[in-house]
Amino acid sequence: MLSSSFANYIATRSSGSRRDEVYVAAVPLRGTKGPAQLLMSTAYSLNFWDLQHFMVIINPSSSSLHSQALVYDFQPQDPESIAVAVAALSGRSVPGVVLTRTLKKLPKRKCWFVGYSESDAIDVANRFNEGWDTDLRINHHDCRNYANGLVEYLTGTKAVLEHLQSSSMARDERTKA
């Protein structure tokens, strides 16, 4: 006989009522220790949109077997290497990596709810990652493209970062007035 929690899990998955939450979060870009890292942290603090690293967070529904949120992230294999930074900034591609890690709680700052996934978001994200090209090229195939692509794959929402940026800029203008 099935346990009641497992039976509920199966029923939820088959009925399509599962609704995993999808978020986008921004963190400072990583750089070499010292002045470069200080510059990245300052740019993040000043809210320079183009100098932030974006990632996708999936917060599983209560009907999920997963209890913790997962972060999905695309970045250079060695983000603190000066050689990688020079290559990336000059427009050349560098080896990238898709990372997945657990998160104890959602960030309080620079984390935006962007929608729900109607199916098992973790399975969907894993399928997306299997097809993701890991050659990273700044402004052509980087964390922004990854976040936009994964959010669209999960929720159907296109160009989510552009929407977030324009609403963030509008909010900044209202606070200045």
Side-chain angles (χ1 to χ4, degrees), residues 68 70 76 85 95 106 109 111 114 116 129 132 148 172 174:
Q68 289 185 306
L70 290 174
L106 292 173
R109 294 188 59 228
C111 181
V114 295
Y116 292 100
N129 288 342
W132 185 256
N148 276 331
D172 290 346
R174 283 193 306 268

Side-chain angles (χ1 to χ4, degrees), residues 53-69:
H53 177 69
F54 294 92
M55 52 196 181
V56 176
I57 301 172
I58 296 173
N59 193 23
S61 69
S62 59
S63 63
S64 175
L65 290 179
H66 301 281
S67 61
Q68 289 185 306

Side-chain angles (χ1 to χ4, degrees), residues 9-176:
Y9 171 75
I10 297 297
T12 302
R13 287 181 60 113
S14 61
S15 71
S17 65
R18 179 179 176 147
R19 294 177 55 87
D20 296 332
E21 297 172 335
V22 180
Y23 295 83
V24 170
V27 296
L29 287 170
R30 289 172 56 191
T32 57
K33 303 282 187 236
Q37 187 60 49
L38 180 62
L39 177 65
M40 295 303 156
S41 294
T42 302
Y44 173 79
S45 298
L46 295 173
N47 208 26
F48 290 136
W49 194 263
D50 291 335
L51 294 176
Q52 297 181 53
H53 177 69
F54 294 92
M55 52 196 181
V56 176
I57 301 172
I58 296 173
N59 193 23
S61 69
S62 59
S63 63
S64 175
L65 290 179
H66 301 281
S67 61
Q68 289 185 306
L70 290 174
V71 177
Y72 292 85
D73 185 8
F74 178 57
Q75 64 181 14
Q77 279 182 352
D78 188 1
E80 295 180 7
S81 164
I82 190 70
V84 168
V86 169
L89 291 172
S90 67
R92 295 190 312 244
S93 66
V94 297
V97 62
V98 174
L99 301 174
T100 304
R101 58 195 177 281
T102 59
L103 190 64
K104 292 182 188 207
K105 60 183 180 175
L106 292 173
K108 293 190 186 303
R109 294 188 59 228
K110 297 191 181 191
C111 181
W112 303 273
F113 172 76
V114 295
Y116 292 100
S117 177
E118 293 296 331
S119 58
D120 185 337
I122 294 168
D123 287 345
V124 171
N126 290 337
R127 279 196 308 275
F128 179 85
N129 288 342
E130 287 172 8
W132 185 256
D133 175 12
T134 57
D135 284 338
L136 188 146
R137 193 164 160 222
I138 302 294
N139 292 326
H140 296 282
H141 190 73
D142 58 19
C143 66
R144 288 164 182 70
N145 306 99
Y146 177 81
N148 276 331
L150 182 53
V151 166
E152 182 177 351
Y153 203 67
L154 290 165
T155 68
T157 302
K158 295 180 186 234
V160 71
L161 292 180
E162 288 77 5
H163 295 294
L164 291 172
Q165 182 180 22
S166 63
S167 66
S168 175
M169 288 177 161
R171 190 172 33 254
D172 290 346
E173 286 301 315
R174 283 193 306 268
T175 58
K176 287 179 186 174

